[in-house]
Amino acid sequence: MTVITKWSSDLTTLSRVELLEKIRAQINERRFAHVLRVEEKALELAQDKNVNLEKVSLAALCHDYAKDRPDEEMIARIKAGDYDQEMLKFGSAIWHGDVGAELVSEELGINDAEILNAIRLHTVGASEMSLLEKIIYVADYTEAGRDFPGVEEARQITAVDLDEAVSFATKHTLQHLIETNQKIYPKTLTTYNRWVAKL
Ligand SMILES: [Fe+2]
Ligand SMILES: [Fe+2]
C-alpha cells in the first residue's frame, strides 16, 4: 500500500507530522480517524490511475478540515465570502466543503487548485468532476470505517468503475435524504442529473 510521508514543497512545506497535528486540532478524534481512512482508501483507488498521489493524499487528509467549526463562524464566512448564499438554508454537511477549501488555503497554506476543488466538491459533487475529485468523493463514502446498508456493494462498484461509484454514492445519499425528509441542496440534484439520471 502506498503511504505518502512527504509532499513536494510546491504543494506544502509542512511535514506529515505537522500537517496531521494541525488537522487533529480542528476535528474530533472519530473524524480524525475517518480522515486517515479516507486517505488510505483514496490512495488505493488512485493506484494505476493517472493522478498525482501527493494531491490525493493532501485532499483526503484536508477534506473535513472545517467540519467541526462552529456554525456561527461558518455562517459569517459564507455571508462575507463569494459563496452561494443559498447554502445558508442548509447546514454544515453542505458548507464544510466550500468553506473548508477556503480555510485549508488560508490556514494550512495549501493553495493547489485541484486539491481545493476536491475539498470543495466532496459534499455535493458536481456535473463535471476530475479524477481527483471523484476519488475523494467516493473514498469518503466507502472508507473502511463506513457501515451502512449497501456499503459493501458501494465498495465493489468503487473497485471497478469510479463513475459508477459516483453515481451510486449520489443516488443513495439522495435516497437517504428523501427517506428522512431532509432538505435537498439544489447542487446535489445537478450532480444527480449528470451521474445518475438516464436520458
Ligand atoms: Fe465531509
Ligand atoms: Fe469525510
Side-chain angles (χ1 to χ4, degrees), residues 9-78:
S9 58
D10 57 326
L11 295 178
T12 180
T13 52
L14 295 169
S15 71
R16 185 171 177 95
V17 170
E18 287 167 338
L19 178 66
L20 291 185
E21 260 172 28
K22 285 177 186 289
I23 293 168
R24 191 197 284 267
Q26 292 293 323
I27 55 182
N28 68 46
E29 275 303 304
R30 233 189 61 237
R31 199 176 317 286
F32 184 69
H34 157 73
V35 156
L36 294 177
R37 289 192 302 264
V38 172
E39 185 199 23
E40 196 173 321
K41 175 57 102 178
L43 286 170
E44 178 194 314
L45 296 176
Q47 295 304 313
D48 311 316
K49 293 195 179 74
N50 186 22
V51 62
N52 181 319
L53 295 181
E54 293 190 16
K55 293 190 184 188
V56 170
S57 161
L58 284 171
L61 291 175
C62 297
H63 84 280
D64 274 344
Y65 183 79
K67 188 110 187 225
D68 291 335
R69 285 286 170 120
D71 282 358
E72 309 78 71
E73 183 188 343
M74 299 292 270
I75 290 166
R77 280 183 177 269
I78 294 165

Side-chain angles (χ1 to χ4, degrees), residues 11 55 58-59 110 112-120 132:
L11 295 178
K55 293 190 184 188
L58 284 171
I110 295 171
D112 180 82
E114 292 176 8
I115 293 174
L116 296 181
N117 275 331
I119 295 169
R120 205 168 272 136
L132 177 63

